[in-house]
Amino acid sequence: MLRVDGLSAWYGEAQALREVSMRVDEGEIVTLVGRNGAGKTTLLRCLMGLHGAYGRTAGTISLFDEDITGLAPHARARGGLGYVPDDRGIYATLSVEENLTLAPVRKAGGAAGPEPWSLERVYETFPHLKERRRSPGTTLSGGEQQMLVLARVLRTGARLLLCDEPTEGLSPLFVQRIGEILREVRAAGTTVLLVEQNVHFAATVADRHYLLAEGRIVESLDRDQVREREHQLLEYLGI
Ligand code: ATP
């Protein structure tokens, strides 16, 4: 579904990604694990076409065998990519419902993509958001804000979700709920690439993992390998 070949990225003269090659197959949940500063956010931004504001890139990115390297972010979104940034990007002065209905609902992934989520379906899956639908987005708790951003991107019918640390700073109950939702999302036809520092969560939710260090993919691990090496990975990540 997604294929990255020899992707490099720079901030000015400083190189943040070095010849990254990886793939995500349809129906998978894949995590990118790595220490702070390893390049995880930069990689997601490159995939979404957002790195151009910061510096240059090299390498190729293809989605469904189509080269999307030169496409603008909105064209990538139309092609089926959905992005959940780490700063969440909620509109502060708008209510929860306005945040959910602002973007036009469209079938981002074309005919073969999953159905965009209706408002009813969002409220069924995220009852907290229904209760808070008239409140300004920023009065929500961190967990509720994360739910709002996930729900907003699911309303586009994205085929591949790029999620930047959705569990960061959340209580265990919300972390568990995010895990359930990601599995539900996958069952409904959306593939997920997830940046994650919480190795235990990553091991529970994902099929495969890439370990990123100093801008390079240094290991590719399956679910069992991560479970076996959970303690070693936690130590490596400094958690
Ligand atoms: P974190 O978990 O802390 O977000 P990360 O793995 O996502 O880390 P990136 O944010 O992608 O890492 O950063 C990769 C490298 O690029 C780091 O050395 C970082 O200092 C540098 N970097 C990131 N953003 C910028 C920027 N806007 N300008 C200059 N350098 C940057």
Side-chain angles (χ1 to χ4, degrees):
M1 176 178 216
L2 177 80
R3 207 188 149 88
V4 177
D5 287 301
L7 182 67
S8 296
W10 289 262
Y11 292 93
E13 292 302 307
Q15 190 167 0
L17 291 181
R18 295 166 190 275
E19 304 260 332
V20 168
S21 295
M22 58 172 292
R23 61 163 225 282
V24 180
D25 296 334
E26 195 157 15
E28 284 192 303
I29 299 181
V30 176
T31 62
L32 284 171
V33 186
R35 286 181 181 163
N36 288 338
K40 306 178 297 293
T41 296
T42 305
L43 178 50
L44 287 199
R45 281 203 207 115
C46 286
L47 297 179
M48 202 59 213
L50 295 166
H51 187 76
Y54 301 95
R56 68 191 174 91
T57 60
T60 58
I61 302 166
S62 52
L63 186 66
F64 295 110
D65 292 327
E66 192 195 324
D67 187 343
I68 61 163
T69 317
L71 294 188
H74 68 271
R76 297 184 196 211
R78 213 178 295 129
L81 288 185
Y83 181 48
V84 178
D86 54 353
D87 64 4
R88 299 187 179 142
I90 290 170
Y91 297 104
T93 55
L94 301 183
S95 70
V96 165
E97 191 152 302
E98 284 165 339
N99 265 281
L100 285 169
T101 51
L102 188 70
V105 176
R106 60 197 151 75
K107 211 156 152 57
E115 278 305 310
W117 286 35
S118 65
L119 208 51
E120 292 69 38
R121 184 167 173 203
V122 166
Y123 287 152
E124 216 172 275
T125 306
F126 305 94
H128 282 96
L129 297 183
K130 185 172 186 184
E131 282 165 29
R132 307 292 307 277
R133 66 186 181 280
R134 310 256 173 261
S135 314
T138 48
T139 62
L140 302 183
S141 71
E144 289 167 340
Q145 288 192 15
Q146 190 60 55
M147 302 286 174
L148 175 55
V149 181
L150 263 174
R152 193 168 63 186
V153 83
L154 290 168
R155 282 182 45 78
T156 68
R159 294 183 80 174
L160 172 59
L161 279 191
L162 308 172
C163 293
D164 201 344
E165 285 207 60
T167 63
E168 193 187 12
L170 302 191
S171 67
L173 205 63
F174 268 116
V175 171
Q176 191 191 336
R177 187 70 192 117
I178 296 267
E180 288 164 3
I181 287 163
L182 291 178
R183 278 189 287 262
E184 203 176 312
V185 159
R186 181 250 294 271
T190 303
T191 304
V192 182
L193 176 61
L194 187 71
V195 163
E196 197 47 74
Q197 292 270 40
N198 182 337
V199 175
H200 182 70
F201 175 78
T204 332
V205 81
D207 307 303
R208 288 194 300 119
H209 313 264
Y210 288 106
L211 185 59
L212 202 62
E214 295 171 10
R216 283 193 181 86
I217 297 222
V218 290
E219 276 194 85
S220 166
L221 303 156
D222 67 21
R223 187 192 296 256
D224 293 339
Q225 289 168 317
V226 163
R227 286 213 175 118
E228 282 158 20
R229 292 175 48 193
E230 196 175 316
H231 289 292
Q232 188 197 346
L233 286 169
L234 285 174
E235 215 163 279
Y236 169 78
L237 295 171
I239 298 165

